[in-house]
Amino acid sequence: MLTRAEGLVIEKIPLTQGLYIFTDSDSQRTLYVGETSNLRKRLSKHLEHSDNQGLARWLWEHGTGDIWVEYHELPSSTSKNARKAFECELIHSRRPEFNVLGR
């Protein structure tokens, strides 16, 4: 699912595990990639006040109007290690501004 952050209805985000990507709509650069066991809870936390300092600062300075959120549900059978591997691959391929590379 891909949507503008300001139009994201938190209650409609699934409670399942998955991956998510924040993208700057102006420059189309990837800002942050993450994985979680609960998409709704994690995306809500990022949009309220992200624990990632770089993303939190960007959201505070720019607001949610200039950001897109893409999220992908993963089957319940997906292990945490597989989820982390998918996240790592996205980090290496998209080179997000606020992720630490080489984890």
Side-chain angles (χ1 to χ4, degrees):
M1 168 70 69
L2 176 65
T3 187
R4 279 195 176 277
E6 69 181 5
L8 196 60
V9 178
I10 295 297
E11 295 76 24
K12 291 186 177 182
I13 298 173
L15 296 168
T16 57
Q17 66 175 331
L19 302 165
Y20 57 92
I21 303 162
F22 285 88
T23 307
D24 175 3
S25 62
D26 289 336
S27 66
Q28 294 301 308
R29 69 184 168 181
T30 301
L31 299 173
Y32 190 75
V33 170
E35 61 81 24
T36 183
S37 61
N38 184 324
L39 283 164
R40 182 184 303 173
K41 182 177 177 183
R42 190 67 179 128
L43 289 173
S44 177
K45 174 66 178 161
H46 276 302
L47 294 171
E48 286 175 15
H49 184 74
S50 179
D51 54 355
N52 178 282
Q53 291 180 347
L55 182 59
R57 182 184 320 276
W58 196 95
L59 288 167
W60 183 77
E61 290 175 0
H62 300 276
T64 58
D66 292 332
I67 199 167
W68 286 85
V69 178
E70 177 182 351
Y71 63 87
H72 302 273
E73 291 181 75
L74 295 174
S76 60
S77 60
T78 306
S79 70
K80 184 175 183 177
N81 285 341
R83 214 172 55 223
K84 290 281 191 187
F86 291 142
E87 176 194 35
C88 188
E89 180 58 37
L90 283 171
I91 289 169
H92 285 295
S93 66
R94 301 223 185 167
R95 308 201 58 79
E97 187 169 335
F98 301 121
N99 284 88
V100 176
L101 297 176
R103 318 194 275 170

